[in-house]
Amino acid sequence: MTFEKVTVVGLGLIGGSLAAALRESGEVGEVFGVERDSDSLSFSLENEIIDSGAREIGPAIWGSDVVIVATYVNNIAQVCGEVSGFVSSGTVVCDTGSVKAPIVRRMERGLQNIRFVGAHPIAGKETSGVRESWAGLFSGKRCVVTPIESTCPEALLAVKKLFWLAGSEVVEMDPKSHDEVFSLVSHLPHAVAYSLLGAVGSGGGERNLFDFSGGGLADFTRIALSSPEMWAGIFIENREALLSAIRGFAGKLGEIEKAVALGKVEDLEVLLREARDSGINKEKREENVRENKEN
C-alpha cells in the first residue's frame, strides 16, 4: 500500500478523475473526498469514486498522507489554509491548478505546518463536473510538478508517486517557467477562442452565423465550452504571462492584417507557411520522442 489515506478537496472533473484513478489503483487504503455540492458528493459516493466524504473541510481529513486541492486556482491558497487546520504537522499538500508561481509564492510565505508541492496534471476536456470524470483521464498524460529550493524532497516524491499511480508521466519545471509556457500553449488559446466566438456571435445581425460554420470554428467552440468561472480565475492569476502572450499574438495577427490590407499575397503566404511549419515541426518532435521511448 503506497498511501494509507488520500483526501481530494473538490470533486469536479479533475478531482473526481484523480480520486477514481487512485481508488482503482489499489495502492490507496482510503480515498476521502470533500465537496460542498451535495449532489456531486452523493454521486461520488454512489459511484464509488471515493470511499467516504464530507461537504466541508474538517477533522475527517485527519490522517491523510496527501491532501490534493482540486479547486479553482484563485481559491487554492485559501483552501490550503483551511486544510492546514485539520491535518498533522508535515502533511503533504498539492494542488492541480494550471497556474503555479503565485500559488507557490503564497504557500512559501506561510502555512509552515504543511509541506506544499505545486502540481499541474495536463489533462481535461471541455466538459466539467464529477459526472464527467473517469479513472483513465490521466493515463499517458504529463503532470508538471513545480518544486522550489525549499521544497521537501520526501513531499516531492510523495506527489510524484501519487500521479504515477494515476498513470501520469511526471516532469519537473520551475513555477515561473511553467506559467510562461502554459500562458502560450493553454491560456492564450482559451482567450482567443472566447474572443473569436464573441466576434462571430456579434457579427451576424439577426442571422446565426454558427449555423454556417465548419470544422475550423467547431474546434474553437469546443474550447470555449469550458467553464468561464474557472478560466476567468486562471487568466487573472497568470495575468502578466498571459498579457505577454496576448500581445505576442496580437503582433502576429497584426502582421496578417497588414498583409491583407496591402493585398500582398506573397507576404501572406510566407506568414501562413511559417505558422504552419512551426506546427508541423512540433508534430515531428513529438513523434521522435515517442519513437525514442519505444526504442
Side-chain angles (χ1 to χ4, degrees):
M1 192 70 66
T2 305
F3 300 106
E4 291 299 323
K5 181 177 181 179
V6 172
T7 291
V8 180
V9 181
L11 296 173
L13 171 66
I14 298 299
S17 297
L18 190 51
L22 294 174
R23 195 170 186 276
E24 192 174 279
S25 73
E27 289 294 323
V28 180
E30 178 188 3
V31 177
F32 188 85
V34 178
E35 173 54 55
R36 291 181 177 177
D37 182 77
S38 57
D39 290 337
S40 296
L41 181 61
S42 297
F43 180 87
S44 301
L45 289 166
E46 291 166 3
N47 289 273
E48 300 183 340
I49 293 172
I50 57 176
D51 295 295
S52 54
R55 291 186 61 190
E56 300 290 341
I57 296 169
I61 71 172
W62 178 269
S64 300
D65 299 304
V66 182
V67 177
I68 305 157
V69 178
T71 63
Y72 290 166
V73 294
N74 46 317
N75 295 328
I76 288 172
Q78 176 187 335
V79 172
C80 287
E82 296 176 21
V83 166
S84 69
F86 296 99
V87 294
S88 58
S89 178
T91 296
V92 177
V93 177
C94 72
D95 71 324
T96 62
S98 69
V99 183
K100 294 271 76 77
I103 295 170
V104 171
R105 280 198 303 269
R106 290 170 196 151
M107 299 308 299
E108 188 180 18
R109 290 197 293 263
L111 305 181
Q112 300 301 313
N113 66 314
I114 63 174
R115 298 181 293 175
F116 182 80
V117 180
H120 175 203
I122 309 170
K125 47 186 178 178
E126 63 274 11
T127 51
S128 59
V130 71
R131 285 172 173 77
E132 298 295 326
S133 63
W134 65 294
L137 183 66
F138 306 100
S139 181
K141 303 294 179 61
R142 285 183 175 175
C143 175
V144 180
V145 292
T146 56
I148 56 177
E149 188 174 345
S150 61
T151 299
C152 172
E154 291 81 9
L156 177 60
L157 180 58
V159 172
K160 286 183 174 182
K161 286 181 178 179
L162 188 146
F163 283 100
W164 288 333
L165 290 179
S168 293
E169 173 193 351
V170 182
V171 297
E172 293 187 22
M173 193 180 295
D174 71 87
K176 185 174 184 292
S177 295
H178 169 279
D179 291 356
E180 291 171 349
V181 168
F182 284 90
S183 72
L184 287 163
V185 302
S186 177
H187 306 166
L188 177 63
H190 279 82
V192 171
Y194 284 118
S195 300
L196 178 58
L197 262 63
V200 173
S202 62
E206 296 181 359
R207 183 182 290 114
N208 184 358
L209 298 184
F210 294 100
D211 290 340
F212 302 91
S213 65
L217 186 60
D219 290 338
F220 287 95
T221 303
R222 178 187 59 78
I223 294 172
L225 286 175
S226 302
S227 166
E229 294 80 8
M230 178 181 73
W231 280 101
I234 290 171
F235 289 173
I236 296 302
E237 287 294 308
N238 201 26
R239 71 183 74 183
E240 294 304 323
L242 178 57
L243 284 172
S244 177
I246 289 173
R247 291 171 187 136
F249 171 75
K252 290 296 183 182
L253 187 60
E255 291 177 3
I256 292 177
E257 178 189 21
K258 181 179 179 180
V260 171
L262 295 176
K264 293 190 174 182
V265 176
E266 296 82 2
D267 291 354
L268 263 176
E269 288 178 353
V270 170
L271 291 170
L272 300 181
R273 187 175 294 109
E274 287 177 349
R276 182 202 63 183
D277 290 350
S278 67
I280 292 174
N281 290 336
K282 171 183 176 294
E283 294 297 327
K284 287 182 178 179
R285 288 194 298 270
E286 291 180 347
E287 184 177 344
N288 289 336
V289 169
R290 286 194 297 269
E291 289 178 353
N292 289 335
K293 284 183 179 180
E294 290 173 358
N295 294 334

mmCIF file of all heavy atoms in Angstrom, residues 183-227:
data_model
loop_
_atom_site.group_PDB
_atom_site.id
_atom_site.type_symbol
_atom_site.label_atom_id
_atom_site.label_comp_id
_atom_site.label_asym_id
_atom_site.label_seq_id
_atom_site.Cartn_x
_atom_site.Cartn_y
_atom_site.Cartn_z
ATOM 1 N N SER A 183 0.907 29.915 -20.436
ATOM 2 C CA SER A 183 0.227 31.104 -20.939
ATOM 3 C C SER A 183 0.102 31.042 -22.457
ATOM 4 O O SER A 183 -0.867 31.548 -23.037
ATOM 5 C CB SER A 183 0.993 32.371 -20.534
ATOM 6 O OG SER A 183 2.207 32.497 -21.262
ATOM 7 N N LEU A 184 1.071 30.376 -23.102
ATOM 8 C CA LEU A 184 1.079 30.278 -24.562
ATOM 9 C C LEU A 184 0.336 29.055 -25.083
ATOM 10 O O LEU A 184 -0.429 29.145 -26.042
ATOM 11 C CB LEU A 184 2.530 30.245 -25.064
ATOM 12 C CG LEU A 184 3.286 31.574 -24.982
ATOM 13 C CD1 LEU A 184 4.779 31.350 -25.106
ATOM 14 C CD2 LEU A 184 2.789 32.523 -26.061
ATOM 15 N N VAL A 185 0.547 27.904 -24.447
ATOM 16 C CA VAL A 185 0.006 26.670 -25.016
ATOM 17 C C VAL A 185 -1.400 26.346 -24.504
ATOM 18 O O VAL A 185 -2.073 25.485 -25.071
ATOM 19 C CB VAL A 185 0.931 25.462 -24.745
ATOM 20 C CG1 VAL A 185 2.313 25.716 -25.305
ATOM 21 C CG2 VAL A 185 1.007 25.136 -23.253
ATOM 22 N N SER A 186 -1.851 27.026 -23.458
ATOM 23 C CA SER A 186 -3.167 26.719 -22.895
ATOM 24 C C SER A 186 -4.022 27.956 -22.667
ATOM 25 O O SER A 186 -5.147 28.042 -23.158
ATOM 26 C CB SER A 186 -2.998 25.960 -21.574
ATOM 27 O OG SER A 186 -4.242 25.714 -20.965
ATOM 28 N N HIS A 187 -3.495 28.924 -21.950
ATOM 29 C CA HIS A 187 -4.304 30.073 -21.560
ATOM 30 C C HIS A 187 -4.614 30.976 -22.751
ATOM 31 O O HIS A 187 -5.754 31.442 -22.904
ATOM 32 C CB HIS A 187 -3.609 30.854 -20.456
ATOM 33 C CG HIS A 187 -3.243 29.984 -19.281
ATOM 34 N ND1 HIS A 187 -2.372 30.392 -18.297
ATOM 35 C CD2 HIS A 187 -3.623 28.723 -18.942
ATOM 36 C CE1 HIS A 187 -2.243 29.417 -17.398
ATOM 37 N NE2 HIS A 187 -2.980 28.397 -17.785
ATOM 38 N N LEU A 188 -3.614 31.242 -23.600
ATOM 39 C CA LEU A 188 -3.850 32.050 -24.796
ATOM 40 C C LEU A 188 -4.880 31.409 -25.732
ATOM 41 O O LEU A 188 -5.795 32.105 -26.194
ATOM 42 C CB LEU A 188 -2.536 32.304 -25.537
ATOM 43 C CG LEU A 188 -2.657 33.078 -26.860
ATOM 44 C CD1 LEU A 188 -3.206 34.474 -26.626
ATOM 45 C CD2 LEU A 188 -1.290 33.151 -27.564
ATOM 46 N N PRO A 189 -4.783 30.106 -26.050
ATOM 47 C CA PRO A 189 -5.808 29.508 -26.911
ATOM 48 C C PRO A 189 -7.231 29.676 -26.371
ATOM 49 O O PRO A 189 -8.171 29.881 -27.146
ATOM 50 C CB PRO A 189 -5.404 28.029 -26.963
ATOM 51 C CG PRO A 189 -3.926 28.053 -26.765
ATOM 52 C CD PRO A 189 -3.677 29.164 -25.779
ATOM 53 N N HIS A 190 -7.389 29.609 -25.056
ATOM 54 C CA HIS A 190 -8.725 29.812 -24.494
ATOM 55 C C HIS A 190 -9.166 31.272 -24.637
ATOM 56 O O HIS A 190 -10.327 31.544 -24.953
ATOM 57 C CB HIS A 190 -8.754 29.381 -23.028
ATOM 58 C CG HIS A 190 -8.908 27.902 -22.854
ATOM 59 N ND1 HIS A 190 -7.843 27.032 -22.935
ATOM 60 C CD2 HIS A 190 -10.007 27.130 -22.607
ATOM 61 C CE1 HIS A 190 -8.270 25.792 -22.753
ATOM 62 N NE2 HIS A 190 -9.570 25.825 -22.550
ATOM 63 N N ALA A 191 -8.242 32.199 -24.397
ATOM 64 C CA ALA A 191 -8.574 33.613 -24.567
ATOM 65 C C ALA A 191 -8.964 33.904 -26.015
ATOM 66 O O ALA A 191 -9.932 34.641 -26.283
ATOM 67 C CB ALA A 191 -7.387 34.488 -24.146
ATOM 68 N N VAL A 192 -8.230 33.311 -26.957
ATOM 69 C CA VAL A 192 -8.531 33.503 -28.378
ATOM 70 C C VAL A 192 -9.883 32.884 -28.730
ATOM 71 O O VAL A 192 -10.690 33.477 -29.456
ATOM 72 C CB VAL A 192 -7.414 32.903 -29.251
ATOM 73 C CG1 VAL A 192 -7.819 32.896 -30.724
ATOM 74 C CG2 VAL A 192 -6.117 33.674 -29.056
ATOM 75 N N ALA A 193 -10.148 31.689 -28.205
ATOM 76 C CA ALA A 193 -11.403 31.002 -28.511
ATOM 77 C C ALA A 193 -12.600 31.806 -28.024
ATOM 78 O O ALA A 193 -13.585 31.992 -28.758
ATOM 79 C CB ALA A 193 -11.407 29.610 -27.885
ATOM 80 N N TYR A 194 -12.535 32.289 -26.786
ATOM 81 C CA TYR A 194 -13.643 33.095 -26.266
ATOM 82 C C TYR A 194 -13.814 34.377 -27.079
ATOM 83 O O TYR A 194 -14.939 34.791 -27.388
ATOM 84 C CB TYR A 194 -13.386 33.448 -24.795
ATOM 85 C CG TYR A 194 -13.632 32.303 -23.832
ATOM 86 C CD1 TYR A 194 -12.599 31.789 -23.058
ATOM 87 C CD2 TYR A 194 -14.904 31.738 -23.690
ATOM 88 C CE1 TYR A 194 -12.806 30.742 -22.170
ATOM 89 C CE2 TYR A 194 -15.125 30.698 -22.801
ATOM 90 C CZ TYR A 194 -14.076 30.197 -22.042
ATOM 91 O OH TYR A 194 -14.302 29.163 -21.171
ATOM 92 N N SER A 195 -12.698 35.018 -27.453
ATOM 93 C CA SER A 195 -12.762 36.257 -28.233
ATOM 94 C C SER A 195 -13.344 36.002 -29.623
ATOM 95 O O SER A 195 -14.165 36.786 -30.121
ATOM 96 C CB SER A 195 -11.361 36.871 -28.359
ATOM 97 O OG SER A 195 -10.829 37.165 -27.096
ATOM 98 N N LEU A 196 -12.913 34.911 -30.244
ATOM 99 C CA LEU A 196 -13.388 34.595 -31.586
ATOM 100 C C LEU A 196 -14.885 34.322 -31.585
ATOM 101 O O LEU A 196 -15.626 34.827 -32.438
ATOM 102 C CB LEU A 196 -12.636 33.385 -32.143
ATOM 103 C CG LEU A 196 -13.061 32.905 -33.537
ATOM 104 C CD1 LEU A 196 -12.905 34.020 -34.568
ATOM 105 C CD2 LEU A 196 -12.253 31.689 -33.954
ATOM 106 N N LEU A 197 -15.341 33.539 -30.637
ATOM 107 C CA LEU A 197 -16.771 33.251 -30.581
ATOM 108 C C LEU A 197 -17.582 34.508 -30.283
ATOM 109 O O LEU A 197 -18.685 34.685 -30.806
ATOM 110 C CB LEU A 197 -17.067 32.171 -29.541
ATOM 111 C CG LEU A 197 -17.216 30.760 -30.127
ATOM 112 C CD1 LEU A 197 -15.912 30.303 -30.763
ATOM 113 C CD2 LEU A 197 -17.649 29.763 -29.071
ATOM 114 N N GLY A 198 -17.021 35.384 -29.450
ATOM 115 C CA GLY A 198 -17.701 36.648 -29.191
ATOM 116 C C GLY A 198 -17.813 37.489 -30.448
ATOM 117 O O GLY A 198 -18.850 38.107 -30.711
ATOM 118 N N ALA A 199 -16.748 37.500 -31.270
ATOM 119 C CA ALA A 199 -16.751 38.277 -32.512
ATOM 120 C C ALA A 199 -17.746 37.693 -33.509
ATOM 121 O O ALA A 199 -18.509 38.425 -34.154
ATOM 122 C CB ALA A 199 -15.348 38.313 -33.105
ATOM 123 N N VAL A 200 -17.739 36.374 -33.654
ATOM 124 C CA VAL A 200 -18.655 35.721 -34.594
ATOM 125 C C VAL A 200 -20.099 35.897 -34.130
ATOM 126 O O VAL A 200 -21.001 36.207 -34.921
ATOM 127 C CB VAL A 200 -18.325 34.222 -34.736
ATOM 128 C CG1 VAL A 200 -19.385 33.512 -35.579
ATOM 129 C CG2 VAL A 200 -16.951 34.040 -35.361
ATOM 130 N N GLY A 201 -20.320 35.730 -32.837
ATOM 131 C CA GLY A 201 -21.674 35.832 -32.310
ATOM 132 C C GLY A 201 -22.279 37.205 -32.455
ATOM 133 O O GLY A 201 -23.509 37.346 -32.547
ATOM 134 N N SER A 202 -21.434 38.250 -32.479
ATOM 135 C CA SER A 202 -21.954 39.615 -32.578
ATOM 136 C C SER A 202 -21.879 40.171 -33.995
ATOM 137 O O SER A 202 -22.241 41.326 -34.232
ATOM 138 C CB SER A 202 -21.160 40.538 -31.640
ATOM 139 O OG SER A 202 -19.788 40.584 -32.013
ATOM 140 N N GLY A 203 -21.434 39.349 -34.946
ATOM 141 C CA GLY A 203 -21.194 39.863 -36.289
ATOM 142 C C GLY A 203 -22.238 39.522 -37.333
ATOM 143 O O GLY A 203 -22.106 39.921 -38.481
ATOM 144 N N GLY A 204 -23.278 38.796 -36.960
ATOM 145 C CA GLY A 204 -24.216 38.346 -37.980
ATOM 146 C C GLY A 204 -25.549 39.042 -37.993
ATOM 147 O O GLY A 204 -26.453 38.658 -38.751
ATOM 148 N N GLY A 205 -25.703 40.061 -37.150
ATOM 149 C CA GLY A 205 -27.012 40.698 -37.077
ATOM 150 C C GLY A 205 -28.043 39.711 -36.561
ATOM 151 O O GLY A 205 -27.839 39.046 -35.552
ATOM 152 N N GLU A 206 -29.148 39.603 -37.283
ATOM 153 C CA GLU A 206 -30.189 38.659 -36.879
ATOM 154 C C GLU A 206 -29.884 37.233 -37.323
ATOM 155 O O GLU A 206 -30.506 36.284 -36.858
ATOM 156 C CB GLU A 206 -31.540 39.093 -37.457
ATOM 157 C CG GLU A 206 -32.031 40.438 -36.917
ATOM 158 C CD GLU A 206 -33.377 40.818 -37.482
ATOM 159 O OE1 GLU A 206 -33.922 40.036 -38.309
ATOM 160 O OE2 GLU A 206 -33.908 41.879 -37.107
ATOM 161 N N ARG A 207 -28.936 37.058 -38.212
ATOM 162 C CA ARG A 207 -28.579 35.732 -38.718
ATOM 163 C C ARG A 207 -27.630 35.040 -37.739
ATOM 164 O O ARG A 207 -26.686 35.632 -37.244
ATOM 165 C CB ARG A 207 -27.924 35.848 -40.089
ATOM 166 C CG ARG A 207 -27.573 34.507 -40.725
ATOM 167 C CD ARG A 207 -26.888 34.672 -42.068
ATOM 168 N NE ARG A 207 -27.799 35.172 -43.070
ATOM 169 C CZ ARG A 207 -27.706 36.350 -43.657
ATOM 170 N NH1 ARG A 207 -26.712 37.167 -43.325
ATOM 171 N NH2 ARG A 207 -28.581 36.752 -44.567
ATOM 172 N N ASN A 208 -27.882 33.759 -37.468
ATOM 173 C CA ASN A 208 -26.996 32.971 -36.608
ATOM 174 C C ASN A 208 -25.863 32.410 -37.454
ATOM 175 O O ASN A 208 -26.039 31.438 -38.191
ATOM 176 C CB ASN A 208 -27.784 31.838 -35.938
ATOM 177 C CG ASN A 208 -26.921 31.049 -34.963
ATOM 178 O OD1 ASN A 208 -25.725 31.319 -34.800
ATOM 179 N ND2 ASN A 208 -27.517 30.067 -34.311
ATOM 180 N N LEU A 209 -24.684 33.034 -37.342
ATOM 181 C CA LEU A 209 -23.559 32.629 -38.182
ATOM 182 C C LEU A 209 -23.060 31.233 -37.856
ATOM 183 O O LEU A 209 -22.447 30.582 -38.710
ATOM 184 C CB LEU A 209 -22.417 33.633 -38.032
ATOM 185 C CG LEU A 209 -22.719 35.074 -38.458
ATOM 186 C CD1 LEU A 209 -21.467 35.929 -38.334
ATOM 187 C CD2 LEU A 209 -23.264 35.126 -39.885
ATOM 188 N N PHE A 210 -23.309 30.754 -36.649
ATOM 189 C CA PHE A 210 -22.823 29.433 -36.267
ATOM 190 C C PHE A 210 -23.516 28.322 -37.064
ATOM 191 O O PHE A 210 -22.998 27.214 -37.163
ATOM 192 C CB PHE A 210 -23.017 29.210 -34.767
ATOM 193 C CG PHE A 210 -22.166 30.116 -33.915
ATOM 194 C CD1 PHE A 210 -22.703 31.243 -33.332
ATOM 195 C CD2 PHE A 210 -20.815 29.851 -33.741
ATOM 196 C CE1 PHE A 210 -21.924 32.086 -32.569
ATOM 197 C CE2 PHE A 210 -20.023 30.683 -32.978
ATOM 198 C CZ PHE A 210 -20.575 31.818 -32.392
ATOM 199 N N ASP A 211 -24.672 28.624 -37.643
ATOM 200 C CA ASP A 211 -25.352 27.640 -38.487
ATOM 201 C C ASP A 211 -24.569 27.356 -39.766
ATOM 202 O O ASP A 211 -24.818 26.354 -40.444
ATOM 203 C CB ASP A 211 -26.761 28.135 -38.861
ATOM 204 C CG ASP A 211 -27.705 28.148 -37.673
ATOM 205 O OD1 ASP A 211 -27.415 27.440 -36.687
ATOM 206 O OD2 ASP A 211 -28.716 28.868 -37.734
ATOM 207 N N PHE A 212 -23.642 28.235 -40.105
ATOM 208 C CA PHE A 212 -22.888 28.100 -41.355
ATOM 209 C C PHE A 212 -21.433 27.689 -41.113
ATOM 210 O O PHE A 212 -20.645 27.634 -42.049
ATOM 211 C CB PHE A 212 -22.912 29.431 -42.123
ATOM 212 C CG PHE A 212 -24.288 29.906 -42.450
ATOM 213 C CD1 PHE A 212 -24.970 30.745 -41.577
ATOM 214 C CD2 PHE A 212 -24.932 29.503 -43.610
ATOM 215 C CE1 PHE A 212 -26.246 31.193 -41.864
ATOM 216 C CE2 PHE A 212 -26.211 29.933 -43.908
ATOM 217 C CZ PHE A 212 -26.876 30.785 -43.027
ATOM 218 N N SER A 213 -21.086 27.420 -39.876
ATOM 219 C CA SER A 213 -19.685 27.154 -39.558
ATOM 220 C C SER A 213 -19.300 25.718 -39.869
ATOM 221 O O SER A 213 -20.131 24.808 -39.826
ATOM 222 C CB SER A 213 -19.416 27.444 -38.075
ATOM 223 O OG SER A 213 -20.136 26.549 -37.255
ATOM 224 N N GLY A 214 -18.022 25.528 -40.188
ATOM 225 C CA GLY A 214 -17.491 24.198 -40.458
ATOM 226 C C GLY A 214 -16.633 23.710 -39.312
ATOM 227 O O GLY A 214 -16.737 24.178 -38.169
ATOM 228 N N GLY A 215 -15.726 22.792 -39.633
ATOM 229 C CA GLY A 215 -14.912 22.170 -38.591
ATOM 230 C C GLY A 215 -13.957 23.113 -37.910
ATOM 231 O O GLY A 215 -13.654 22.950 -36.728
ATOM 232 N N GLY A 216 -13.457 24.122 -38.634
ATOM 233 C CA GLY A 216 -12.496 25.043 -38.044
ATOM 234 C C GLY A 216 -13.071 25.790 -36.857
ATOM 235 O O GLY A 216 -12.468 25.840 -35.781
ATOM 236 N N LEU A 217 -14.231 26.372 -37.035
ATOM 237 C CA LEU A 217 -14.855 27.109 -35.942
ATOM 238 C C LEU A 217 -15.306 26.160 -34.836
ATOM 239 O O LEU A 217 -15.300 26.526 -33.660
ATOM 240 C CB LEU A 217 -16.049 27.914 -36.452
ATOM 241 C CG LEU A 217 -16.702 28.852 -35.434
ATOM 242 C CD1 LEU A 217 -15.696 29.878 -34.929
ATOM 243 C CD2 LEU A 217 -17.916 29.546 -36.041
ATOM 244 N N ALA A 218 -15.665 24.939 -35.208
ATOM 245 C CA ALA A 218 -16.106 23.963 -34.202
ATOM 246 C C ALA A 218 -15.005 23.686 -33.189
ATOM 247 O O ALA A 218 -15.278 23.472 -32.002
ATOM 248 C CB ALA A 218 -16.540 22.664 -34.878
ATOM 249 N N ASP A 219 -13.739 23.682 -33.632
ATOM 250 C CA ASP A 219 -12.626 23.459 -32.705
ATOM 251 C C ASP A 219 -12.571 24.561 -31.655
ATOM 252 O O ASP A 219 -12.340 24.306 -30.471
ATOM 253 C CB ASP A 219 -11.302 23.401 -33.462
ATOM 254 C CG ASP A 219 -11.181 22.137 -34.310
ATOM 255 O OD1 ASP A 219 -11.886 21.164 -34.007
ATOM 256 O OD2 ASP A 219 -10.385 22.146 -35.265
ATOM 257 N N PHE A 220 -12.785 25.803 -32.096
ATOM 258 C CA PHE A 220 -12.788 26.919 -31.147
ATOM 259 C C PHE A 220 -14.012 26.858 -30.239
ATOM 260 O O PHE A 220 -13.928 27.183 -29.047
ATOM 261 C CB PHE A 220 -12.765 28.250 -31.902
ATOM 262 C CG PHE A 220 -11.437 28.565 -32.530
ATOM 263 C CD1 PHE A 220 -11.187 28.252 -33.856
ATOM 264 C CD2 PHE A 220 -10.439 29.169 -31.788
ATOM 265 C CE1 PHE A 220 -9.965 28.543 -34.437
ATOM 266 C CE2 PHE A 220 -9.208 29.469 -32.356
ATOM 267 C CZ PHE A 220 -8.969 29.146 -33.679
ATOM 268 N N THR A 221 -15.131 26.448 -30.796
ATOM 269 C CA THR A 221 -16.348 26.324 -29.991
ATOM 270 C C THR A 221 -16.143 25.313 -28.875
ATOM 271 O O THR A 221 -16.568 25.527 -27.735
ATOM 272 C CB THR A 221 -17.530 25.889 -30.867
ATOM 273 O OG1 THR A 221 -17.700 26.843 -31.929
ATOM 274 C CG2 THR A 221 -18.815 25.813 -30.061
ATOM 275 N N ARG A 222 -15.494 24.209 -29.180
ATOM 276 C CA ARG A 222 -15.228 23.174 -28.172
ATOM 277 C C ARG A 222 -14.401 23.741 -27.029
ATOM 278 O O ARG A 222 -14.702 23.515 -25.850
ATOM 279 C CB ARG A 222 -14.490 21.996 -28.821
ATOM 280 C CG ARG A 222 -14.115 20.885 -27.856
ATOM 281 C CD ARG A 222 -13.247 19.841 -28.538
ATOM 282 N NE ARG A 222 -12.027 20.396 -29.080
ATOM 283 C CZ ARG A 222 -10.951 20.694 -28.357
ATOM 284 N NH1 ARG A 222 -10.958 20.499 -27.038
ATOM 285 N NH2 ARG A 222 -9.869 21.184 -28.928
ATOM 286 N N ILE A 223 -13.367 24.500 -27.356
ATOM 287 C CA ILE A 223 -12.516 25.082 -26.326
ATOM 288 C C ILE A 223 -13.310 26.056 -25.452
ATOM 289 O O ILE A 223 -13.187 26.071 -24.228
ATOM 290 C CB ILE A 223 -11.309 25.794 -26.961
ATOM 291 C CG1 ILE A 223 -10.398 24.784 -27.653
ATOM 292 C CG2 ILE A 223 -10.517 26.590 -25.915
ATOM 293 C CD1 ILE A 223 -9.288 25.408 -28.470
ATOM 294 N N ALA A 224 -14.142 26.867 -26.089
ATOM 295 C CA ALA A 224 -14.881 27.898 -25.364
ATOM 296 C C ALA A 224 -16.062 27.337 -24.567
ATOM 297 O O ALA A 224 -16.738 28.095 -23.873
ATOM 298 C CB ALA A 224 -15.373 28.966 -26.335
ATOM 299 N N LEU A 225 -16.312 26.047 -24.652
ATOM 300 C CA LEU A 225 -17.338 25.429 -23.816
ATOM 301 C C LEU A 225 -16.859 25.227 -22.383
ATOM 302 O O LEU A 225 -17.653 24.890 -21.507
ATOM 303 C CB LEU A 225 -17.759 24.072 -24.406
ATOM 304 C CG LEU A 225 -18.627 24.104 -25.656
ATOM 305 C CD1 LEU A 225 -18.845 22.695 -26.195
ATOM 306 C CD2 LEU A 225 -19.967 24.765 -25.370
ATOM 307 N N SER A 226 -15.571 25.431 -22.143
ATOM 308 C CA SER A 226 -15.017 25.278 -20.802
ATOM 309 C C SER A 226 -15.632 26.303 -19.851
ATOM 310 O O SER A 226 -16.154 27.332 -20.268
ATOM 311 C CB SER A 226 -13.501 25.448 -20.834
ATOM 312 O OG SER A 226 -12.903 24.514 -21.705
ATOM 313 N N SER A 227 -15.517 26.028 -18.558
ATOM 314 C CA SER A 227 -16.131 26.861 -17.527
ATOM 315 C C SER A 227 -15.586 28.293 -17.536
ATOM 316 O O SER A 227 -14.394 28.507 -17.291
ATOM 317 C CB SER A 227 -15.885 26.235 -16.154
ATOM 318 O OG SER A 227 -16.181 27.156 -15.125
#
